[in-house]
Amino acid sequence: MTRWLAVWMTSLVIGLAGAGASHAQSRCEGGFVNPIGDICWDCMFPLSVGGLQVSLSGNAPDTDNPALPICLCSMPTPPFVRMGIAVGFWEPIRLLDVSKRPWCFVNLGGIRLDPGFDIGDKGRTFVDGRWSGGQYHVHYYVYPLFYWLELLADAACLERGQFDIAYISELDPLWQDDELSYLIHPESILFGNLLAQAACVADCAAVTTTGRNVPGMYWCTGCHGSIYPMNGNIQRDATRVQGAALAAERMVYKMHRQLLAYRTSGSAALCQQQLAPIWPREQYRFQLVNPNPHVSGPGTCPRVGVSTVIYESGRTWPATGEDVGFLLWRKRNCCAF
């Protein structure tokens, strides 16, 4: 996102932060993420060198790593080839707000903006203290925490950048409408049938019992539902965290489809990140950071589609809305030197 939009958003935060909070049902809930205390530090494990795991912590399943510890990468200048060590680790790179309230910035302290028009306000019903059906909105932040904290010696292997709001779904018409969303994922027609959706049951069982998704079933998000349509229209959410997790997963896939996210895991990504319009879902973990950070215990940093029943109990506040924040972890294989 260009810097003028970031400046515009900042001015809105200063001038309009309290404009939409006069109605209790419109109140946005959230808090700033503590970059130390709200982070699950075990989620960076396992660490690997080639195909060998070298860390002593972390029980979460890993992705496939390069078999050899030595790697070679091309260079534009002599000697044109450099040798390095193939390392693998998990790093936090993005924050995601998920809310049924438009312009609710959960991870910015629960600020709700009022831009003065109804963009993003679509088809919602307030019943029994919560919004029913309608539209989930997602905000996507740049959050390269390890680079800021200088946790690894080889900064070339880390995601770089400054904190920024990279994507706002309220401004994207493709996130609001099922028909328009076909423009970036026409293949969804193939998966809009009972047979394709029934196959996701196997993906749910696999990721819940083993922590790994069924390879190749990219249209499934395990126990959360279907990745299609690739927008915020989620007709049935069993729990607030399950619906929010599905919306966050759809946003990550959308970033891949729009060539704004990359494959960073596996042998092909050792020397350079690779474009991946079909998302490599196995390289992501989603840590719950709002309203109650999940830093330890069962189900911490689950992979795509893990049943939220395992970890959401006691992590959300009753009767305060549908506002959830996630920290996105991504697997990185890199040729360090």
Side-chain angles (χ1 to χ4, degrees):
M1 173 169 289
T2 58
R3 296 206 174 271
W4 69 264
L5 185 53
V7 172
W8 175 77
M9 289 299 304
T10 303
S11 65
L12 281 176
V13 169
I14 296 173
L16 301 171
S22 59
H23 302 289
Q25 69 185 42
S26 298
R27 186 176 61 186
C28 177
E29 299 288 339
F32 289 99
V33 178
N34 184 327
I36 303 297
D38 292 348
I39 308 301
C40 172
W41 294 105
D42 279 345
C43 294
M44 69 180 292
F45 300 111
L47 304 178
S48 62
V49 175
L52 176 66
Q53 291 188 4
V54 297
S55 60
L56 300 178
S57 301
N59 297 318
D62 199 8
T63 62
D64 294 332
N65 295 296
L68 298 178
I70 304 299
C71 51
L72 299 175
C73 293
S74 61
M75 297 175 59
T77 58
F80 302 110
V81 175
R82 67 174 176 86
M83 179 180 295
I85 299 175
V87 299
F89 59 94
W90 294 81
E91 62 173 330
I93 58 163
R94 300 291 185 265
L95 284 174
L96 295 103
D97 297 331
V98 186
S99 178
K100 289 186 178 181
R101 298 174 176 84
W103 306 101
C104 175
F105 291 82
V106 183
N107 294 312
L108 289 183
I111 292 173
R112 187 177 182 207
L113 307 183
D114 185 2
F117 44 87
D118 293 333
I119 185 170
D121 196 353
K122 172 188 175 184
R124 301 174 301 148
T125 304
F126 196 73
V127 178
D128 296 331
R130 59 175 291 179
W131 293 111
S132 298
Q135 181 82 28
Y136 276 88
H137 295 285
V138 182
H139 308 135
Y140 187 80
Y141 305 81
V142 176
Y143 197 77
L145 183 60
F146 283 5
Y147 176 67
W148 298 340
L149 299 179
E150 300 181 355
L151 289 184
L152 295 180
D154 191 351
C157 288
L158 295 177
E159 174 83 8
R160 300 186 181 190
Q162 300 176 347
F163 181 84
D164 199 0
I165 303 175
Y167 213 89
I168 300 174
S169 64
E170 289 88 342
L171 300 177
D172 182 6
L174 300 184
W175 188 259
Q176 312 287 336
D177 188 273
D178 289 348
E179 285 76 18
L180 288 178
S181 64
Y182 282 122
L183 295 176
I184 59 172
H185 57 89
E187 77 280 3
S188 61
I189 298 175
L190 301 175
F191 305 113
N193 58 77
L194 291 177
L195 183 61
Q197 296 307 310
C200 295
V201 175
D203 192 48
C204 173
V207 75
T208 300
T209 56
T210 68
R212 295 178 179 271
N213 298 97
V214 178
M217 296 180 62
Y218 64 88
W219 68 92
C220 297
T221 56
C223 303
H224 298 166
S226 175
I227 201 69
Y228 299 109
M230 202 184 299
N231 57 36
N233 294 328
I234 298 174
Q235 299 303 321
R236 182 70 182 110
D237 46 355
T239 68
R240 60 188 297 191
V241 176
Q242 176 266 323
L246 178 55
E249 289 157 356
R250 288 181 176 183
M251 176 57 74
V252 173
Y253 193 169
K254 181 179 173 65
M255 293 296 99
H256 277 276
R257 181 51 55 92
Q258 297 180 175
L259 305 183
L260 298 175
Y262 302 88
R263 174 182 286 278
T264 59
S265 62
S267 301
L270 275 173
C271 299
Q272 185 177 359
Q273 300 179 14
Q274 304 292 314
L275 290 175
I278 300 297
W279 71 323
R281 56 182 181 159
E282 69 279 355
Q283 74 176 22
Y284 292 112
R285 296 173 178 171
F286 291 80
Q287 181 198 343
L288 189 68
V289 292
N290 258 307
N292 191 357
H294 187 195
V295 298
S296 62
T300 308
C301 294
R303 298 274 282 271
V304 171
V306 173
S307 174
T308 59
V309 175
I310 297 173
Y311 63 90
E312 70 174 305
S313 178
R315 299 294 171 185
T316 58
W317 311 122
T320 57
E322 306 288 344
D323 311 322
V324 178
F326 292 100
L327 175 64
L328 181 67
W329 292 76
R330 184 182 66 187
K331 177 62 182 290
R332 181 76 167 104
N333 287 114
C334 179
C335 189
F337 63 99

